[in-house]
Amino acid sequence: MRNIHVRVLRVYLDPECSMKPEFRLSRQSFTSLLRILHQERDHGWGQHLEFLMFTYWLAHGLSYKVTADAFDIPKTTVFRAIHKTAKATREARSSHSLPTYTQIGRSWPRLCQTGKTSGIQQGCGGN
């Protein structure tokens, strides 16, 4: 994954470059999500590249062809990578659960104290 002629890969490979414009994720969020989705494998495209294709495709709502052109790889490869990553995402999501009403109730007072957005303040009874 060292093709520096591909613009989206240059963004990823340069630690000083923000990933948000291309991938709609910060570098820290990308790394955290990749850690959650980590899968051991000994062949095929690297998981980093597959996740980059998936997030790029998802961030821009693009076709497989446009994503393939952005990464300079075949459309069928993009299709497989996106569907493989989507499946891994669904599986990872099913292993995590949403908080219960009791857990939300316990954290609500703290959220009201620290929440800065108007939506949170309105939900807490403020103006």
Side-chain angles (χ1 to χ4, degrees):
M1 186 177 47
R2 295 280 181 199
N3 189 348
I4 61 169
H5 301 293
V6 177
R7 183 177 48 81
V8 291
L9 293 180
R10 279 197 318 260
V11 169
Y12 174 69
L13 293 171
D14 182 355
E16 300 299 317
C17 194
S18 172
M19 291 178 64
K20 281 193 177 185
E22 296 294 336
F23 299 98
R24 306 291 196 263
L25 286 172
S26 69
R27 195 169 292 277
Q28 181 180 5
S29 295
F30 181 87
T31 304
S32 296
L33 287 170
L34 193 58
R35 195 175 309 119
I36 291 169
L37 297 176
H38 178 72
Q39 298 172 332
E40 293 294 328
R41 53 174 90 161
D42 59 358
H43 65 280
W45 290 89
Q47 188 172 13
H48 285 82
L49 183 58
E50 289 178 350
F51 194 60
L52 281 169
M53 287 186 273
F54 176 74
T55 54
Y56 186 84
W57 172 80
L58 194 61
H60 297 287
L62 296 172
S63 68
Y64 298 120
K65 179 169 180 8
V66 175
T67 303
D69 290 347
F71 284 86
D72 194 27
I73 58 175
K75 184 172 66 171
T76 54
T77 301
V78 168
F79 176 85
R80 280 192 299 266
I82 287 171
H83 284 269
K84 186 190 303 184
T85 305
K87 181 181 177 191
T89 303
R90 283 191 305 272
E91 290 170 357
R93 185 173 171 234
S94 67
S95 68
H96 295 80
S97 62
L98 295 172
T100 64
Y101 284 115
T102 305
Q103 291 169 327
I104 292 172
R106 285 195 302 255
S107 62
W108 190 253
R110 196 180 100 195
L111 180 62
C112 288
Q113 291 173 353
T114 60
K116 304 283 189 232
T117 65
S118 61
I120 291 175
Q121 291 305 312
Q122 287 176 354
C124 292
N127 294 330

